[in-house]
Amino acid sequence: MNITIQNQTIACNVQYSKRKKVSIQLDPNGLLTVKAPNGTPEDAIIRLVEQHSEWVLDNLRRISSSQPAPEARAYEDYGTFMYLGREHKLEELIETTDADEDMLRNRLKKFYFSSCKKVINQRIAAYQQQLKVKPKSIDIVESTTKWGSCSFDKKLTFNYRLAMAPVEVIDYVIVHELCHLLHMNHDRSFWRKVGGIMPDYKEKEEYLARYGRYMTL
């Protein structure tokens, strides 16, 4: 789930188990994890993170400053970019002749948009059938805070940058948003439904939390 504190959206990995107290942790890579007793309401988890907002943000800044910044993207034809979890030379993804850096960036963004739409449409059908749900619409968008979203009128959106992620991670975001058609909140029933379709979903969440900052143009 995503939690916004002091205008900063943070990915939070929530783990439910047979425990008595709620705890909050940050690993060395900046992944925020909340461990909570089974049945803990989502708003209680949000309040806990908000109560510790200064500690969370201070440590995230410390971790961020100690990590190397993502390398500047190389738009020469020998530069490499992620596509479906693997690195590809730019010339393998788009036409690179007779184009300056701005043109290459625009072409690459269009490639990711179209590729993301194609992959989402291909992968979503089986999960729709399995969950017995049907979204009103599916759109590919540009976002800096969300990988996917589901509106109350059953419209799904997916971040075009998902085309850079492995297919199994894309599948997780698809399952996550389709499950919101049944449960709008991140309550116990929601995560039980997600886990029933994808038992290892926490690994996919961790991938996005760890490597999402590198999935850029």
Side-chain angles (χ1 to χ4, degrees), residues 22-42:
V22 180
S23 69
I24 183 169
Q25 302 173 350
L26 267 172
D27 76 2
N29 293 301
L31 176 62
L32 177 65
T33 298
V34 174
K35 296 183 178 180
N38 291 327
T40 303
E42 179 182 352

Side-chain angles (χ1 to χ4, degrees), residues 95-100 103-104 107:
E95 176 60 51
T96 60
T97 57
D98 299 325
D100 58 22
M103 293 175 64
L104 292 173
R107 288 179 186 176

Side-chain angles (χ1 to χ4, degrees), residues 175-199:
V175 169
H176 186 113
E177 301 311 329
L178 286 176
C179 285
H180 274 315
L181 295 174
L182 301 171
H183 306 281
M184 282 303 296
N185 295 318
H186 291 95
D187 56 15
R188 185 179 180 183
S189 297
F190 170 81
W191 290 113
R192 187 186 299 117
K193 180 64 70 174
V194 173
I197 301 296
M198 187 170 289

Side-chain angles (χ1 to χ4, degrees), residues 3-217:
I3 298 177
T4 301
I5 51 178
Q6 297 185 22
N7 297 320
Q8 183 172 340
T9 301
I10 300 169
C12 178
N13 178 26
V14 182
Q15 299 179 1
Y16 294 99
S17 63
K18 294 180 179 180
R19 56 187 293 128
K20 294 182 179 180
K21 296 182 179 180
V22 180
S23 69
I24 183 169
Q25 302 173 350
L26 267 172
D27 76 2
N29 293 301
L31 176 62
L32 177 65
T33 298
V34 174
K35 296 183 178 180
N38 291 327
T40 303
E42 179 182 352
D43 57 357
I45 293 173
I46 294 174
R47 284 199 302 271
L48 175 71
V49 176
E50 290 175 340
Q51 290 169 4
H52 293 81
S53 61
E54 292 299 330
W55 178 85
V56 171
L57 294 176
D58 285 346
N59 279 278
L60 283 176
R61 284 191 285 267
R62 176 182 57 79
I63 292 169
S64 178
S65 64
S66 66
Q67 291 179 334
E71 294 183 4
R73 308 308 297 169
Y75 279 89
E76 296 84 355
D77 58 5
Y78 50 81
T80 59
F81 292 81
M82 295 297 293
Y83 175 57
L84 299 183
R86 295 178 53 229
E87 286 193 351
H88 292 264
K89 292 182 179 180
L90 186 59
E91 60 187 2
E92 296 174 336
L93 303 177
I94 61 171
E95 176 60 51
T96 60
T97 57
D98 299 325
D100 58 22
E101 184 171 319
D102 287 339
M103 293 175 64
L104 292 173
R105 184 181 289 106
N106 289 335
R107 288 179 186 176
L108 189 60
K109 179 179 283 191
K110 289 180 180 179
F111 167 80
Y112 281 130
F113 261 93
S114 62
S115 296
C116 187
K117 183 175 183 179
K118 180 179 179 180
V119 173
I120 294 292
N121 287 337
Q122 288 175 341
R123 306 294 297 180
I124 201 170
Y127 294 114
Q128 283 184 221
Q129 185 175 2
Q130 192 171 356
L131 288 164
K132 296 180 173 58
V133 295
K134 185 177 181 180
K136 184 176 181 180
S137 64
I138 301 171
D139 292 312
I140 309 302
V141 300
E142 181 172 3
S143 174
T144 58
T145 59
K146 295 182 179 180
W147 295 108
S149 67
C150 173
S151 66
F152 281 98
D153 54 356
K154 298 185 177 182
K155 295 180 180 180
L156 303 187
T157 62
F158 296 95
N159 192 326
Y160 81 93
R161 294 188 295 127
L162 279 173
M164 304 178 194
V167 171
E168 59 268 23
V169 175
I170 299 174
D171 282 357
Y172 160 66
V173 180
I174 289 173
V175 169
H176 186 113
E177 301 311 329
L178 286 176
C179 285
H180 274 315
L181 295 174
L182 301 171
H183 306 281
M184 282 303 296
N185 295 318
H186 291 95
D187 56 15
R188 185 179 180 183
S189 297
F190 170 81
W191 290 113
R192 187 186 299 117
K193 180 64 70 174
V194 173
I197 301 296
M198 187 170 289
D200 61 346
Y201 72 88
K202 291 179 182 178
E203 295 179 10
K204 305 334 189 260
E205 284 192 326
E206 290 182 4
Y207 180 96
L208 290 171
R210 293 176 188 272
Y211 302 112
R213 65 193 294 260
Y214 299 103
M215 293 161 58
T216 61
L217 290 182

